[in-house]
Amino acid sequence: MKKAGMLFLALIGGMLGGFIIFEWIVRIVMRLMDSFPVALIGTLSMILPLAGGIVTVLLVKRMQNKVRED
């Protein structure tokens, strides 16, 4: 259960991190450009949090495997 809880928290943290990166991208682009395609905003809002969660879980699994080997 400990491993599952750690992976779940990593997933939530990664999704939050991906959403923060999405917000930064949108804010920077909105300052630089007058218009921003709505389809691109929608795509980024789905992909970046999901990608952040997946990458974080993979990194946590890799870290756990390294700890077991030592």
Side-chain angles (χ1 to χ4, degrees), residues 17-52:
F19 185 72
I20 290 170
I21 291 171
F22 160 72
E23 285 290 326
W24 281 353
I25 290 171
V26 169
R27 287 179 190 263
I28 289 170
V29 170
M30 290 299 279
R31 286 184 185 169
L32 297 175
M33 299 171 54
D34 291 336
S35 63
F36 194 59
V38 175
L40 185 59
I41 291 174
T43 304
L44 286 176
S45 71
M46 290 183 294
I47 291 175
L48 284 177
L50 183 62

